[in-house]
């Protein structure tokens, strides 16, 4: 009978269990995990596990049945489930967890003769990406994402950039259709900004170029953007559409570099929930500063997509899962008509959940009655 648990399918299933799951099973104090228990954790081999359990279970004791093998230690499946569930519950109960530092803070410009002047200082910092988890970051003005810049179509803007990093950098204004020399790409449109140097960009935001744009490093960018040199550059339209009139305007900047999977610079449970009252309309500006796609899925309500990369869609369209590719910005409206706390997460599940519970690209939309 123990042959059942040595079926080739069983071994395949065990081989597919990621290292971290095996680590979990060890740390869950399961006395010498037998093949039967591993199978029980693997969806693909449920039938095999059930068969093994049925064989080993005492009559009427299915709920807390132990899986036994000749010569193998006994494992309590219920205890294993409880241990895993406790980790999941702990994460949810901690949400939203307080951490030091907050990104996306609005940066007020200084006015200089009709020009809106913004100052950015790039510097290496320590950043608390999740509770107690400090990481090395490169940040504008000490924030990840960098400060939120909001201007209007037609504004004259001056960006003063100070480089206090140990490496050169440059700033690209992603989505803005600027004169070539303001594009921020070293050796194509400008020299790199060396450590200790400052550089000034100045341009007029084109009329007709409103929407959710970004600014980020365009030098050693996989590392620099991955470590936090990025931010939102939002251009308000001169003539807003009726559909843009909302009660809350939320930013959701996605990243997947050195800090893991993050929303607005934090991983769950340190992510911030979106909140609204029943009947309110919210706008969410998704921006992907990472290197992977992230299909963002909202539970309980649909999203109405209005803009892609700042450009109005020919017609608003609806979805509940919206794929955000690197470099893309998508603007959606949610009519918050379903009360409750709704999970809101990337649906590439290894970006959001493990046997230890939820992490990374998970937040919630809380609709209060
Ligand atoms: Cu993802």
């Amino acid at each position: 009978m123990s042959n059942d648990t040595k079926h080739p399918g069983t071994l395949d299933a065990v081989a597919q269990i990621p290292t971290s799951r095996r680590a979990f099973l060890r740390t869950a104090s399961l006395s010498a995990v037998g093949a039967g228990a591993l199978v029980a954790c693997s969806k693909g081999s449920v039938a095999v596990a059930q068969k093994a359990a049925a064989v080993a279970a005492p009559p009427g004791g299915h709920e807390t049945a132990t899986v036994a093998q000749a010569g193998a230690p006994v494992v309590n499946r219920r205890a294993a489930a409880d241990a895993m569930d406790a980790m999941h519950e702990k994460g949810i109960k901690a949400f939203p967890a307080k951490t030091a530092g907050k990104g996306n803070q609005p940066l007020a410009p200084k006015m200089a003769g009709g020009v809106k002047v913004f100052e950015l200082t790039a510097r290496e910092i320590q950043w608390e990406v999740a509770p107690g988890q400090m990481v090395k970051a490169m940040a504008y003005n000490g924030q990840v994402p960098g400060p939120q810049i909001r201007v209007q179509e037609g504004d004259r803007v001056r960006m003063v950039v100070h480089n206090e990093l140990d490496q050169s950098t440059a700033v690209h204004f992603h989505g803005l259709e600027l004169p070539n020399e303001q594009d921020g790409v070293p050796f194509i449109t400008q020299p790199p900004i060396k450590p200790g140097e400052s550089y000034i960009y100045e341009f007029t935001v084109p009329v007709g170029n409103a929407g959710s744009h970004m600014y980020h490093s365009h030098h050693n960018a996989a590392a620099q953007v991955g470590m936090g040199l990025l931010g939102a550059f939002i251009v308000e339209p001169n003539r807003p559409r009726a559909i843009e009139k909302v009660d809350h305007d939320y930013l959701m900047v996605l990243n997947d570099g050195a800090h893991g999977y993050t929303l607005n610079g934090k991983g769950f449970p340190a992510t911030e929930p979106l909140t609204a009252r029943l009947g309110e309309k919210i706008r969410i500006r998704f921006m992907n500063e990472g290197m992977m796609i992230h299909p963002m899925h909202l539970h309980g309500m649909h999203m109405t997509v209005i803009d892609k990369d700042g450009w109005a869609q020919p017609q608003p369209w609806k979805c509940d899962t919206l794929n955000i590719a690197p470099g893309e910005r998508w603007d959606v409206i949610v009519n918050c008509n379903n009360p409750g706390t709704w999970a809101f997460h990337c649906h590439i599940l290894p970006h959001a959940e493990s046997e230890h519970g939820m992490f990374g690209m998970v937040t919630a939309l809380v609709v209060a009655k």
Side-chain angles (χ1 to χ4, degrees), residues 296-312:
M296 293 303 297
H297 174 55
L298 173 62
H299 292 210
M301 285 155 284
H302 62 271
M303 305 186 270
T304 301
V305 181
I306 58 166
D307 292 347
K308 157 84 164 84
D309 302 338
W311 301 107

Side-chain angles (χ1 to χ4, degrees), residues 104-119:
N104 292 330
Q105 296 181 49
L107 181 62
K110 287 181 191 127
M111 294 306 296
V115 180
K116 287 183 175 169
V117 182
F118 297 92
E119 217 154 328

Side-chain angles (χ1 to χ4, degrees), residues 261 293-295 346-348 351 361:
Y261 301 110
I293 55 166
H294 300 290
C346 174
H347 219 293
I348 294 180
H351 300 179
M361 294 178 153

